[in-house]
Amino acid sequence: MAGTATNTNPPIYKVVVISFPTTIIEAPSSSLEKVIHAAQLPYDILELETQHNPKSMEHIVSRLIRHHRSLDTNMVQHFDIDSGAIKSGVQCKACDEIPMQYNTGWKCAVCGHCSKNAHIKALIDYSLLFQTTITNEQSCHFLGLPSRKTETRILRSLELKHNHKHQGRTYDLSSLLARI
């Protein structure tokens, strides 16, 4: 008598999610199983949850959590990009110009846009391009800050985890990735 095998793999649902809300989606219904805007995704997930029993969903969630691995790849090295080709500095949200200048906050020399926290996006970019940790020296250089004192104040204000060394302190940028 053959034993009954249970499938422990989660079901796979094919969906294409378009992030830009004004994108017009035109596709023959037969070409794609499902194409949606990002705003629709939470509703589709809720609908899927109602189709499966809670035990099965708990099992899937626990497996996903257990097997999750953070991406910690230096993309610049991985794709063999010359690090000198990466334009460092804080990018203006209004006109995309790099770099913004820091005084008591960030100000764009091109359009005059001001921001108190424009450095957060630059640090997220750094963590996605290079690594999820950054030293005082690296952040001062990458953000284009005028002094180490300013750089230290900015990083401390973000309440990032860090090693407790004063000399060669390293900050963990992982918590910023949750802001994406």
Side-chain angles (χ1 to χ4, degrees):
M1 181 171 149
T4 57
T6 58
N7 186 1
T8 59
N9 292 326
I12 297 173
Y13 298 95
K14 298 173 192 170
V15 63
V16 176
V17 181
I18 308 295
S19 61
F20 200 65
T22 58
T23 300
I24 297 170
I25 302 168
E26 293 180 3
S29 59
S30 62
S31 68
L32 295 171
E33 191 173 303
K34 188 139 187 182
V35 180
I36 61 171
H37 282 107
Q40 180 63 36
L41 187 59
Y43 302 107
D44 283 16
I45 291 172
L46 287 172
E47 184 180 319
L48 286 174
E49 286 178 348
T50 62
Q51 293 174 8
H52 297 282
N53 70 47
K55 287 282 187 205
S56 137
M57 292 304 287
E58 287 173 19
H59 177 70
I60 292 169
V61 168
S62 68
R63 284 187 66 190
L64 287 171
I65 290 170
R66 193 171 55 249
H67 294 289
H68 172 73
R69 302 289 178 263
S70 296
L71 177 65
D72 196 16
T73 301
N74 183 321
M75 291 297 171
V76 172
Q77 284 179 352
H78 182 76
F79 290 108
D80 197 26
I81 299 169
D82 176 18
S83 60
I86 305 293
K87 198 169 188 179
S88 63
V90 174
Q91 186 174 22
C92 177
K93 186 178 179 179
C95 72
D96 294 330
E97 190 64 32
I98 298 176
M100 292 179 81
Q101 303 301 313
Y102 189 86
N103 191 356
T104 55
W106 297 99
K107 183 173 183 177
C108 180
V110 174
C111 73
H113 176 74
C114 295
S115 174
K116 290 285 184 191
N117 59 2
H119 55 278
I120 294 173
K121 171 117 175 35
L123 290 171
I124 290 170
D125 290 345
Y126 180 91
S127 69
L128 292 171
L129 287 169
F130 298 103
Q131 60 191 15
T132 56
T133 58
I134 194 166
T135 64
N136 288 324
E137 185 178 336
Q138 290 167 330
S139 62
C140 200
H141 171 75
F142 191 76
L143 297 175
L145 290 166
S147 73
R148 290 279 294 268
K149 185 178 178 181
T150 302
E151 173 271 332
T152 300
R153 187 173 40 77
I154 285 175
L155 286 179
R156 284 188 180 163
S157 74
L158 295 173
E159 299 178 355
L160 301 170
K161 291 180 185 176
H162 58 81
N163 63 14
H164 295 289
K165 299 179 201 173
H166 288 290
Q167 194 72 13
R169 178 172 279 182
T170 302
Y171 292 88
D172 182 357
L173 302 173
S174 300
S175 62
L176 295 180
L177 295 175
R179 300 180 185 192
I180 296 178

